Amino acid sequence: MISENEVYVGRYMGERVVEITPELVDQYSHAVDDHNRWYSSESTFGGAVAPALLLHSEVYRTLSWYLPRIYGNLHARQEWELFRPVMVGDKVTTRSLIADRYIKRDREYVVNEVTCFGEDGRPLNRGRTHQSFLLERQPDGVVVDKEREKRSDRRFDIAEGEVLEEIAGPAKEVTLDMCRLFSPRKSYHNDLEEARKLGFPDIVVQGMMPLCFLSEMMTDRFGEGWFAGGRMNVNLVNVVWRGDTLTCRGVVREFSPEGLRRRTHLHVWCQKADGTKVFVGSASAAVT
């Protein structure tokens, strides 16, 4: 018999209803410095549309899916599929379950899948969050220091290939105020003391924030094709610290037919001012 507290694949983590209010959208916009006019006025969808990753941290609403070894835990990988836009004023039902659990090198990973549904029951988007936990606590008490990202084995070069188009988002400095708006609950994402308790020398910016920067870049370039058909699959490869300046970039590699639409495939990454990559992976949008 499996204990009700066991972190097992298939365990249902519950649901809740979220009202998409202008205030919720405004908090998001200030947290990530993304003030697209579609969020507060008419969009091509007929009204104000919510940012594609507005409910980015619904997966963290409860941490009962975490393993007990929270010391040094990190957000390691993120997948998103966007099916339909969420409009301001909608009520969205979110449902969460544990979709996978696996071991890789010195860490164990738990994958939590959150799907958002509209009032008509149709899925709006789905995210899969891969959270990693140390198999054994490191004796020196430090999990990741700021020098690690400078090592040669932490370089993540973009594979060579044909470049059909290059895109980039704006450079953004991640301030403490942004961290607190993005992650309101006191944690290692907004408090130095809490960060040190978990083995980090400084505040660790929540991994979802640079992914929201990526979503902004994709929204600005592909519009409807991102909100209805967008996908991303990225590995978070280096820690973002409070005060880092980040820029998202992408290169279009190919196009593929998809019914009456065409899918645009990109290699995407986000980098610090010194070129250090913080995530690398792929994204795509379905455009007419």
Side-chain angles (χ1 to χ4, degrees), residues 9-228:
V9 175
R11 178 182 169 189
Y12 184 57
M13 302 305 303
E15 65 181 67
R16 74 165 184 152
V17 177
V18 182
E19 183 176 357
I20 309 302
T21 64
E23 292 76 19
L24 187 62
V25 172
D26 189 61
Q27 179 181 344
Y28 174 96
S29 293
H30 284 89
V32 299
D33 192 23
D34 176 9
H35 302 277
N36 192 302
R37 61 181 178 83
W38 280 11
Y39 303 157
S40 58
S41 61
E42 289 294 312
S43 70
T44 59
F45 298 107
V49 65
L53 300 191
L54 176 68
L55 300 180
H56 52 78
S57 292
E58 191 66 14
V59 66
Y60 298 121
R61 178 179 59 84
T62 172
L63 301 183
S64 57
W65 58 279
Y66 270 29
L67 298 180
R69 304 181 298 276
I70 64 169
Y71 188 88
N73 79 89
L74 286 169
H75 186 178
R77 179 182 169 194
Q78 184 67 39
E79 303 166 72
W80 286 104
E81 294 175 284
L82 309 176
F83 306 122
R84 298 170 55 209
V86 178
M87 307 303 292
V88 177
D90 284 354
K91 289 185 178 179
V92 174
T93 299
T94 70
R95 297 189 175 101
S96 170
L97 63 83
I98 297 173
D100 201 2
R101 180 173 172 175
Y102 58 93
I103 293 175
K104 187 177 179 181
R105 293 190 289 275
D106 62 343
R107 287 181 173 265
E108 187 165 11
Y109 296 74
V110 179
V111 182
N112 188 315
E113 179 179 286
V114 175
T115 305
C116 296
F117 298 87
E119 294 179 71
D120 59 2
R122 294 166 61 187
L124 300 167
N125 57 68
R126 177 169 55 235
R128 281 191 165 201
T129 301
H130 299 239
Q131 199 76 16
S132 74
F133 304 85
L134 288 168
L135 288 174
E136 296 181 4
R137 180 163 173 165
Q138 296 180 350
D140 62 4
V142 175
V143 178
V144 177
D145 61 30
K146 293 187 176 182
E147 296 302 311
R148 186 186 74 152
E149 63 193 42
K150 299 177 182 178
R151 299 191 327 232
S152 59
D153 64 330
R154 304 307 301 176
R155 289 179 56 87
F156 298 89
D157 296 325
I158 304 304
E160 294 184 2
E162 184 178 8
V163 175
L164 303 175
E165 181 184 349
E166 296 185 30
I167 63 175
K172 295 177 183 277
E173 180 183 355
V174 182
T175 66
L176 182 57
D177 284 344
M178 291 171 68
C179 290
R180 289 174 173 167
L181 282 171
F182 196 85
S183 308
R185 182 172 54 190
K186 185 178 179 180
S187 70
Y188 69 129
H189 296 311
N190 55 34
D191 184 86
L192 180 58
E193 182 179 350
E194 293 298 315
R196 288 173 175 168
K197 285 180 182 177
L198 292 183
F200 301 100
D202 202 346
I203 290 171
V204 175
V205 175
Q206 187 177 330
M208 292 292 187
M209 188 183 290
L211 303 183
C212 291
F213 297 167
L214 171 61
S215 183
E216 177 186 359
M217 180 183 78
M218 296 293 287
T219 296
D220 289 346
R221 173 59 184 86
F222 298 105
E224 293 181 39
W226 178 244
F227 284 99

